[in-house]
Amino acid sequence: MKRIVIVSAGLSVPSSTRLLADLLGEATEGAIRARGAEVSVEYVELRPLAHALADHLLTGFPAGELSTALEAVRAADGLIVVTPVFSASYSGLFKTFFDVLDQGAIDGTPVLIAATAGTPRHSLVLEHALRPLFSYLRAVVVPTGVFAASSDFGAVAGSAGAGADTIGKRVERAAAELAVLVTASGGGGAAHDPHGHGSSRRVEDEFDNPTPFEELLRGARGDSIR
Amino acid sequence: MQIGIFTVGDVTTDPTTGRTPTEQERIRATVEIAKKAEDIGLDVFATGEHHNPPFIASAPTTTLAYIGAQTERIILSTATTLITTTDPVLIAENYAKLQHLTGGRVDLMMGRGNTGPVYPWFGKDIRQGINLAVENYALLHRLWREDVIDWEGRFRTPLQGYTATPRPLDGVPPFVWHGSIRSPEIAEQAAYYGDGFFHNHIFWPASHTAQMVSLYRRRYEHYGHGKAEEAIVGLGGQFFMRKNSQDAWNEFRPYFDNAPVYGHGPSLEDFTEATPLTVGSPQQVLERTLSFQEYAGHYQRQLFLVDHAGLPLKTVLEQLDLLGEILPDLRKGFAEGRPANIPDAPTHASLVSAAGGGHDSTVYAEGDSATGTSDRAPEDPDVERILEGEL
């Protein structure tokens, strides 16, 4: 079972961000099934977590639902992340969620990046803001990002007059790319290190199988940083 | 079971009056609080350590020695001693001296410190926090156990033929606890040495405590110091109580809402649910405290934070009076169902007894560095004669 988690940072209800998230979710589900794998899709809406995120910044630990959401992202086989564009970048709420994610939580996890805005002039936000963020988090970002301006949704609804590169096409292409990465991996999310990238030990590993003290003592003398 | 209080000595504005105590007032209040702790029958007073405003918790051994001179019985401890940025040689000297002055009423809790700028102020790098804690403590451990040491490490200038003075009282070093919220390496360190492990158990969910204590217990057994359930565990805790529970909530709320660390964040209701903070009647504090054993097992030391966030001295002393009233029930509750093999926290007396009695540990030396005789190699035949008292 491949676990897809969709993080959506829309604020209004209904939001165009959630609308795009739904399109990407359905397309990804179909693309993974088409490759013969089972798939589950779950949504993490950030709006109801806004207070908990602010509290986390102040206290350093996640409360209740936020804790569940962070764990879902950590355990995902693939992520779809969708943010509205605020002041030429991802929204503060969206960024805060990834700010409080534990280090290494999405190492090697395939991610599809997507954004919405009122005008197509923001379309490069995917390349200028989202892609570097997820590269920093050591996720594997699929080549196609999906940007939707308000006018794109018109093209979806009344597809009669839409050109060759409709949002539907881009959604399909991005979903197919994500499906390839997700089904190629062993599954089980970052904890299982699907791509073998994460050679660094995670906090959880230390609790299950602590580094023996003699090794810590030797390490302290070397050039390791702990 | 040892029950006590710990403080970081924050100088915080009282949000209900807008008044901020002076350093002098806060330092004096700390001494009052410590003396009161002994009066109501508590076992431990711990303080430390910060090196920046708004705290008065620097120079902990000065404070502890002053308190030690005005008390008879209470154990003086730290919360915490910064093993990362403090020279282990100075720690060895200061706390051995404190042992001698207070008749052994001393132990320490090691911590790394989470204030980034403190590290460079003391010539260190916070990214080396764990390595500093590991190497510095390894040196401190030897300084208290070997009369003359040669040592070379990564973070400190080498020592050749060095003797830390005074030697530990009765030849027995102070007991050491290691404190950490989330770093498994520190639980491992405490287990390796057979030292105590303390979880601050305030401001954080109890799940962190359970995870760290469980690792420490497992590794304590692994290193052959005893069974996991016999490991030496201490927990922090935080309460505010009044006879009438609603009075406690009303009175504490403005202090909570404006507190350093967590203020202006979660509601008091959310925070008391998410962390061990208990606000309510003495009975509620008693019950919540006794429930800590459910995830920490039978443990040896319980310290409470009672004097932060701008609470006035008068209120803090009232809180201690209320703690004194439930103290007998707390002790009774902790003793209930406690298996006979669960040890008490080590004290100077128990450590001396375990060592087969105390002995004079003075290193008698005939000269000083000016005479050139103090730079001794351990294999120097004179060293043994000096140790035997022949020279």
Side-chain angles (χ1 to χ4, degrees):
Chain A
M1 174 70 81
K2 299 299 176 186
R3 188 174 179 185
I4 299 296
V5 174
I6 304 179
V7 178
S8 166
L11 292 180
S12 56
V13 182
S15 75
S16 53
T17 301
R18 175 60 193 247
L19 190 56
L20 179 58
D22 285 340
L23 290 175
L24 290 165
E26 281 163 34
T28 303
E29 193 174 348
I32 292 176
R33 288 235 165 82
R35 298 179 68 83
E38 302 256 312
V39 59
S40 72
V41 176
E42 56 196 290
Y43 285 85
V44 171
E45 277 290 343
L46 297 189
R47 189 185 195 286
L49 302 176
H51 278 272
L53 281 165
D55 286 350
H56 191 327
L57 292 179
L58 300 176
T59 63
F61 66 85
E65 296 289 305
L66 175 57
S67 172
T68 312
L70 291 168
E71 178 51 32
V73 166
R74 197 187 69 80
D77 295 306
L79 285 176
I80 298 171
V81 299
V82 197
T83 179
V85 174
F86 281 13
S87 297
S89 187
Y90 33 65
S91 74
L93 181 63
F94 180 87
K95 178 65 159 46
T96 302
F97 183 78
F98 291 98
D99 284 348
V100 302
L101 199 59
D102 275 342
Q103 204 180 348
I106 58 171
D107 268 17
T109 305
V111 176
L112 192 172
I113 54 175
T116 60
T119 157
R121 282 187 284 277
H122 281 306
S123 61
L124 280 173
V125 75
L126 291 175
E127 308 308 320
H128 289 159
L130 275 89
R131 198 176 292 277
L133 171 64
F134 287 92
S135 296
Y136 172 79
L137 295 172
R138 297 197 209 96
V140 177
V141 185
V142 302
T144 303
V146 180
F147 176 87
S150 302
S151 52
D152 284 307
F153 290 105
V156 168
S159 55
D165 192 28
T166 61
I167 185 165
K169 284 258 167 62
R170 280 175 279 149
V171 165
E172 295 289 321
R173 193 190 313 130
E177 289 167 1
L178 182 62
V180 168
L181 286 181
V182 167
T183 52
S185 76
H192 298 254
D193 194 16
H195 302 279
H197 295 162
S199 59
S200 62
R201 281 167 66 83
R202 298 156 43 78
V203 172
E204 285 79 1
D205 300 332
E206 283 293 332
F207 280 105
D208 291 344
N209 187 16
T211 305
F213 188 76
E214 297 285 0
E215 204 174 303
L216 291 178
L217 205 50
R218 282 195 301 274
R221 292 178 167 250
D223 50 13
S224 69
I225 286 180
R226 267 183 188 273
Chain B
M1 184 73 185
Q2 295 175 340
I3 300 174
I5 54 175
F6 63 150
T7 175
V8 290
D10 58 315
V11 179
T12 305
T13 305
D14 181 337
T16 65
T17 62
R19 191 172 181 286
T20 311
T22 63
E23 288 181 323
Q24 163 73 358
E25 286 168 341
R26 188 68 174 93
I27 291 166
R28 284 282 162 190
T30 304
V31 174
E32 282 312 300
I33 290 165
K35 286 159 70 176
K36 179 80 174 180
E38 173 158 293
D39 288 347
I40 63 164
L42 292 180
D43 308 300
V44 183
F45 173 82
T47 182
E49 179 176 334
H50 279 289
H51 295 269
N52 52 299
F55 300 98
I56 50 89
S58 61
T61 49
T62 308
T63 312
L64 293 175
Y66 187 79
I67 292 167
Q70 299 177 66
T71 50
E72 299 288 333
R73 197 187 46 77
I74 200 162
I75 293 171
L76 307 160
S77 188
T78 59
T80 61
T81 294
L82 298 181
I83 186 65
T84 47
T85 49
T86 315
D87 185 353
V89 168
L90 292 180
I91 297 177
E93 291 178 349
N94 284 334
Y95 289 88
K97 174 72 73 68
L98 191 61
Q99 268 192 317
H100 282 272
L101 291 172
T102 62
R105 285 190 285 140
V106 179
D107 59 41
L108 297 84
M109 189 203 305
M110 301 300 166
R112 300 205 304 287
N114 58 4
T115 312
V118 172
Y119 286 77
W121 289 335
F122 289 88
K124 302 291 189 266
D125 178 349
I126 194 169
R127 295 171 303 165
Q128 296 290 350
I130 295 278
N131 285 335
L132 283 161
V134 167
E135 180 178 292
N136 285 350
Y137 184 66
L139 171 57
L140 176 62
H141 197 263
R142 284 188 61 198
L143 287 167
W144 275 335
R145 285 165 177 81
E146 297 170 41
D147 284 341
V148 183
I149 82 164
D150 289 343
W151 180 89
E152 195 174 340
R154 178 181 174 196
F155 298 113
R156 189 196 189 287
T157 196
L159 298 166
Q160 294 296 332
Y162 177 75
T163 299
T165 55
R167 303 304 303 147
L169 177 65
D170 300 320
V172 173
F175 187 67
V176 169
W177 305 76
H178 300 263
S180 174
I181 298 166
R182 288 187 80 179
S183 303
E185 295 91 343
I186 300 303
E188 172 74 8
Q189 180 186 34
Y192 174 83
Y193 288 103
D195 291 342
F197 176 76
F198 187 93
H199 197 278
N200 93 335
H201 200 232
I202 54 174
F203 307 163
W204 296 87
S207 54
H208 288 351
T209 308
Q211 192 179 34
M212 289 289 282
V213 168
S214 144
L215 173 65
Y216 161 69
R217 288 187 182 282
R218 188 155 51 89
R219 299 297 288 176
Y220 184 92
E221 181 164 315
H222 168 84
Y223 284 113
H225 301 296
K227 291 183 181 162
E229 77 245 32
E230 296 164 353
I232 307 298
V233 173
L235 297 187
Q238 188 189 8
F239 62 72
F240 191 86
M241 56 181 149
R242 289 296 182 194
K243 297 277 182 203
N244 177 340
S245 175
Q246 198 54 49
D247 291 344
W249 283 84
N250 293 340
E251 187 177 343
F252 189 58
R253 191 179 298 277
Y255 295 96
F256 175 85
D257 286 344
N258 295 287
V261 185
Y262 49 74
H264 307 284
S267 69
L268 181 53
E269 285 77 2
D270 286 348
F271 205 69
T272 49
E273 196 183 311
T275 78
L277 169 63
T278 310
V279 177
S281 67
Q283 184 62 28
Q284 287 167 325
V285 171
L286 172 69
E287 284 167 16
R288 183 91 184 270
T289 304
L290 291 176
S291 76
F292 298 162
Q293 296 174 98
E294 288 165 17
Y295 49 82
H298 293 286
Y299 60 107
Q300 282 73 17
R301 173 175 284 188
Q302 172 65 55
L303 301 184
F304 293 106
L305 171 67
V306 292
D307 70 334
H308 83 312
L311 288 165
L313 176 60
K314 177 171 172 291
T315 307
V316 174
L317 297 178
E318 287 165 3
Q319 290 297 304
L320 289 174
D321 278 327
L322 290 166
L323 178 58
E325 287 175 26
I326 60 169
L327 199 52
D329 286 336
L330 265 178
R331 293 194 190 284
K332 210 171 109 192
F334 279 122
E336 212 164 274
R338 196 176 178 92
N341 66 321
I342 306 295
D344 289 331
T347 59
H348 185 70
S350 78
L351 292 170
V352 165
S353 155
H359 63 276
D360 170 33
S361 54
T362 308
V363 171
Y364 295 95
E366 70 169 8
D368 57 27
S369 56
T371 70
T373 56
S374 64
D375 188 18
R376 303 171 302 247
E379 61 272 18
D380 181 341
D382 276 358
V383 168
E384 191 159 331
R385 295 171 64 200
I386 289 167
L387 297 181
E388 296 299 325
E390 290 169 24
L391 288 179

